[in-house]
Amino acid sequence: MQRRYTGENIVNCRDLGGYPAAEGKVTQFGRAIRSAIPNTPTENDIEMLRKLGVKTVIDLRGDAETLDMPSVFASLPDFEYHHISLLETNPVFSKQCTDMCEMYILSLTEYSQNYAAALRLISNLDKPFLFHCFAGKDRTGLLAAMLLGAAGVCREDIIADYQVSYTYFRPFYERELNANSGVIWEKDPSKFYSDPAVMERILDYFEEEFGGFYGYFESLGLSDEEICRLSGLLLP
């Protein structure tokens, strides 16, 4: 198996497999795949996911985003599609938040019941699934951190997994911006940076406010059984 998958309009697409985890285990490939879907997936993109065995797609974008660009997966019979918004990004960031950390904390608090719904759904999946937002960095990055953390992946690897998002999203961003395609609304590339200091601060937030990921899961109302399934989701 491989860590990164190269698509056309599915970009920043990565497997959560291959990380050292709890009890000397390693997270398994082919279970959870994170990505960005900033534009309508092509036929080649869809075929790539079929070959990876993906059966479920979880769309974390805001309601306005899904109205502007409805997901193709909602109409494909061989995919189970779920839309669970974890933030309306643009207006929230510009009007209410001063930095990425504040935006992430807003997502974790104001959309807490949606995180609960997403985690409950994931805890019951037994086939490979894809979860995505627009750039695959913010909302996707937070959920990826939770899944890795639940498996016992160390802090440094969670931060590293977050950090590479801009590297993988940047070619698409620059291509669409230069083509004036209208897909990219944000002209400031720093909004797409995946600064490791941001994820480091968010991991501190989980520890300070909840005692770690498990405390956050409990605050969402997840049962012990659901949390147990999440902890074993990526493990052999």
Side-chain angles (χ1 to χ4, degrees):
M1 299 294 291
Q2 65 193 62
R3 168 73 47 80
R4 183 167 76 95
Y5 303 105
T6 305
E8 294 169 343
N9 288 341
I10 292 181
V11 296
N12 188 20
C13 185
R14 294 174 276 134
D15 201 297
L16 294 187
Y19 288 111
E23 301 176 354
K25 297 177 181 178
V26 177
T27 59
Q28 299 295 286
F29 287 96
R31 296 195 180 176
I33 299 171
R34 57 174 293 174
S35 78
I37 304 185
N39 203 356
T40 302
T42 66
E43 287 296 329
N44 289 336
D45 290 332
I46 294 167
E47 186 58 28
M48 176 182 74
L49 296 184
R50 287 192 176 112
K51 288 180 178 178
L52 291 173
V54 170
K55 298 297 182 182
T56 302
V57 173
I58 306 172
D59 185 345
L60 307 176
R61 295 176 300 155
D63 294 338
E65 291 170 271
T66 58
L67 288 174
D68 288 341
M69 191 187 83
S71 176
V72 67
F73 296 106
S75 59
L76 294 176
D78 49 344
F79 290 93
E80 183 179 306
Y81 171 76
H82 299 268
H83 173 227
I84 305 175
S85 173
L86 296 188
L87 195 63
E88 294 282 357
T89 53
N90 297 341
V92 167
F93 185 83
S94 62
K95 295 179 182 178
Q96 298 184 40
C97 299
T98 59
D99 59 27
M100 283 292 177
C101 288
E102 188 177 349
M103 185 176 79
Y104 288 2
I105 292 170
L106 180 69
S107 172
L108 293 168
T109 54
E110 296 300 314
Y111 288 75
S112 60
Q113 290 311 300
N114 287 13
Y115 277 96
L119 291 166
R120 282 198 175 97
L121 169 64
I122 289 169
S123 74
N124 285 298
L125 296 177
D126 59 0
K127 301 289 185 184
F129 65 95
L130 175 87
F131 61 105
H132 77 91
C133 54
F134 180 84
K137 173 180 76 78
D138 304 316
R139 295 159 290 190
T140 300
L142 289 171
L143 191 56
M146 292 180 198
L147 297 180
L148 293 172
V153 173
C154 73
R155 180 185 182 96
E156 291 81 5
D157 282 330
I158 294 174
I159 293 170
D161 185 73
Y162 171 81
Q163 184 177 0
V164 299
S165 278
Y166 179 64
T167 299
Y168 292 144
F169 188 73
R170 180 179 176 180
F172 180 91
Y173 170 81
E174 292 181 343
R175 184 185 78 204
E176 298 298 319
L177 195 64
N178 291 335
N180 198 27
S181 67
V183 172
I184 300 296
W185 70 89
E186 179 58 69
K187 303 302 189 289
D188 179 2
S190 70
K191 297 298 193 304
F192 294 102
Y193 290 171
S194 45
D195 183 348
V198 172
M199 182 54 69
E200 188 167 11
R201 175 65 191 94
I202 292 303
L203 296 182
D204 288 342
Y205 170 79
F206 278 112
E207 288 293 333
E208 294 163 5
E209 296 295 323
F210 305 100
F213 288 111
Y214 284 93
Y216 181 68
F217 298 157
E218 290 173 355
S219 78
L220 298 179
L222 297 185
S223 68
D224 291 343
E225 182 181 353
E226 289 166 334
I227 294 173
C228 184
R229 288 200 301 267
L230 283 173
S231 68
L233 179 80
L234 297 177
L235 299 178

